[in-house]
Amino acid sequence: MQGQLRAARLAAEVKKVKLCKVMVLLAWQAMTEIRDPSDCMTMAEVRAGVDDVDRSLVALLKRRFGYMDAAARIKPDRSAVRDEWRKSDVLAKVDAAAAQAGVDRALMARMYEDLVETSIAYELQVFDRTRI
């Protein structure tokens, strides 16, 4: 009888542990779930969303700068790195995309001006480093 009682208590403890693990897992998922900004109710949710977007942006910027590496490899001379026509073209396309997406166009223009200038500086460094 005592063996059965002990086994029943042990089974109950195992169920409690399993339930606790499930509850912890559900709480963790709720804390780490990336919500749409309009659905965020806590700063933890906002921060998780921002961190998720930042990780995506870093990956996209890595890819973008990979194209700068390719451009530095392909362009025949250093003077071809700065292309004002292309810079204007990129900024115009970003402006159109911002307008279509309903994003602040002036904000995008400032950010992309910096991004394009940083990209040009990076491409010049790559060009110089790979041509020496």
Side-chain angles (χ1 to χ4, degrees):
M1 178 79 150
Q2 279 209 334
Q4 289 175 335
L5 193 55
R6 196 176 308 149
R9 282 190 205 136
L10 185 58
E13 287 300 315
V14 168
K15 284 182 184 179
K16 285 181 189 176
V17 169
K18 285 182 180 179
L19 181 60
C20 285
K21 285 182 180 180
V22 168
M23 289 172 59
V24 167
L25 179 61
L26 290 173
W28 174 252
Q29 286 176 336
M31 288 182 353
T32 59
E33 180 182 347
I34 306 305
R35 297 178 182 272
D36 189 76
S38 62
D39 294 333
C40 289
M41 300 299 284
T42 68
M43 284 307 300
E45 292 168 344
V46 169
R47 290 178 180 132
V50 169
D51 292 347
D52 183 61
V53 169
D54 287 343
R55 283 187 294 274
S56 297
L57 286 172
V58 168
L60 288 170
L61 288 169
K62 177 184 178 190
R63 184 173 179 211
R64 190 183 201 285
F65 278 84
Y67 289 112
M68 300 303 99
D69 290 334
R73 176 177 39 85
I74 293 166
K75 289 181 180 175
D77 56 73
R78 194 174 197 277
S79 64
V81 171
R82 177 170 284 282
D83 183 344
E84 290 300 327
W85 177 88
R86 175 62 179 150
K87 178 181 173 181
S88 295
D89 182 52
V90 168
L91 295 176
K93 289 175 181 173
V94 166
D95 184 62
Q100 183 177 6
V103 176
D104 184 329
R105 293 166 63 190
L107 175 65
M108 289 296 109
R110 287 192 308 273
M111 290 177 60
Y112 267 84
E113 174 71 28
D114 288 345
L115 177 58
V116 171
E117 285 300 323
T118 299
S119 297
I120 291 168
Y122 174 81
E123 188 180 331
L124 284 167
Q125 288 176 349
V126 173
F127 187 93
D128 291 344
R129 186 177 66 240
T130 58
R131 297 300 202 286
I132 296 174

